[in-house]
Amino acid sequence: MTTLSPENSLSARQSASFILGLHTLVRTEAWKFLTGYYSWQSSKDERLTVDSKRRKNYEALCQMYEKIQPLLENLHQNFIETRNTITHDIEKLYDKDPLGNVLIDKKRLEKVLLLSYVCNTQAEYQQGFHEMVMLFQLLVECDHETFWLFQFFLQKMEHSCVINIGVGKNLDTLNNLITFLDPVFAEHLKGKGAGAVQSLFPWFCLCFQRAFKSFDDVWRLWEVLLTGKPCRNFQVLVAYSLLQMVRDQVLQESMSGDDILLACNKLIDLDADELISAACVVYAELIQKDVPRPLKDFFL
């Protein structure tokens, strides 16, 4: 890779991570490059400087939050409601591994989520973020790393997992994709299965976190999404592939919307590599067709 130009080196590294996945020993450091926490072309000294700056910025945000917290409590009812929601969500998290070892620090997790809510006017807080940020906390050691990785992840994903920004567009595009690639299934979903696709918003809100058998599988998929390979908005192709897993059953049993949703919710303990491969097959099928302009702009 040292013989490549910076542009080609970047492309090669991203493609390599897409094809092979990341080894657990390098995952933590690699995520900082994939999210944009570090530049791919940065030196070790430059990365130390960036990390120090991010730590100081995070500490400054914490100090700001402490100063304005009384004001938020007195003037903004939404803040109190959101804080209570975050507390309740975190209480429900199971924080131990099968051996009883504590995996996460709930107080630290709550702090990161509250700060993210106060600072991120675009994403705010939505139920499910606590599960996502938990995975970032498991990935890195320091709170400032958890906070910034989550912020950069949302930005890199074009806020596609945020309910009031990208989720609706994902669902609409999923509908259009089904209509284009599978008219028979689309017809059933518009009739007896009406509303089923729109009910699948948790897939996008959680970036499919609950569909997999392990955290490693979740990270594996998220790493692919961060590379932008093989296309933009790959998450919709993943959702399409998940729906294809229940397609035959839905048609054979002439399922209604609620039954379709129930069948989709049973798609758990999946293997990330198998799902990624299935979504890549869908992409290969898509690019061989005369794709309508809205789909082309969304994916290509």
Side-chain angles (χ1 to χ4, degrees), residues 19-225:
I19 295 167
L20 301 174
L22 293 171
H23 193 282
T24 53
L25 293 178
V26 301
R27 174 163 278 143
T28 295
E29 197 69 8
W31 263 75
K32 293 179 181 178
F33 290 93
L34 285 171
T35 57
Y37 187 100
Y38 292 145
S39 165
W40 285 97
Q41 288 82 25
S42 60
S43 66
K44 184 175 181 180
D45 287 342
E46 288 171 337
R47 291 194 288 276
L48 288 172
T49 300
V50 167
D51 186 68
S52 176
K53 184 180 296 185
R54 302 219 186 280
R55 183 191 297 272
K56 290 176 181 177
N57 288 343
Y58 176 76
E59 291 170 351
L61 289 173
C62 289
Q63 293 172 2
M64 175 208 70
Y65 171 72
E66 290 177 3
K67 290 179 180 178
I68 67 172
Q69 183 179 348
L71 184 65
L72 293 172
E73 291 173 344
N74 290 328
L75 298 180
H76 297 278
Q77 183 63 31
N78 286 346
F79 170 77
I80 297 175
E81 292 175 356
T82 301
R83 185 175 62 185
N84 291 340
T85 300
I86 290 173
T87 301
H88 183 255
D89 286 346
I90 291 177
E91 286 175 353
K92 293 186 296 182
L93 274 178
Y94 192 70
D95 61 349
K96 295 182 175 64
D97 66 14
L99 298 177
N101 301 311
V102 175
L103 290 172
I104 58 171
D105 186 320
K106 289 188 174 183
K107 284 295 182 184
R108 289 170 55 200
L109 181 59
E110 182 177 14
K111 179 181 178 182
V112 170
L113 285 166
L114 276 169
L115 192 62
S116 179
Y117 163 66
V118 171
C119 295
N120 196 334
T121 55
Q122 270 193 300
E124 296 187 337
Y125 175 79
Q126 67 187 33
Q127 288 184 288
F129 275 178
H130 65 298
E131 295 182 38
M132 294 179 68
V133 176
M134 176 190 70
L135 262 71
F136 288 99
Q137 192 183 73
L138 290 171
L139 199 62
V140 294
E141 293 182 3
C142 302
D143 288 349
H144 76 279
E145 295 172 310
T146 303
F147 175 81
W148 288 117
L149 280 182
F150 181 55
Q151 303 308 314
F152 289 137
F153 179 80
L154 292 178
Q155 292 174 24
K156 193 89 171 186
M157 292 285 293
E158 301 179 48
H159 289 85
S160 68
C161 58
V162 180
I163 195 77
N164 61 351
I165 302 178
V167 173
K169 188 166 186 178
N170 283 332
L171 291 168
D172 290 342
T173 304
L174 178 58
N175 261 319
N176 294 336
L177 185 64
I178 297 167
T179 299
F180 180 63
L181 292 179
D182 193 346
V184 173
F185 193 31
E187 194 64 29
H188 180 85
L189 291 173
K190 289 176 183 176
K192 194 167 183 179
V197 172
Q198 294 300 316
S199 298
L200 296 174
F201 64 90
W203 280 355
F204 295 110
C205 290
L206 290 169
C207 278
F208 310 97
Q209 183 173 336
R210 292 177 181 169
F212 296 109
K213 60 185 177 184
S214 72
F215 291 157
D216 283 333
D217 284 283
V218 180
W219 285 318
R220 173 76 178 103
L221 175 65
W222 289 4
E223 286 153 11
V224 172
L225 298 178

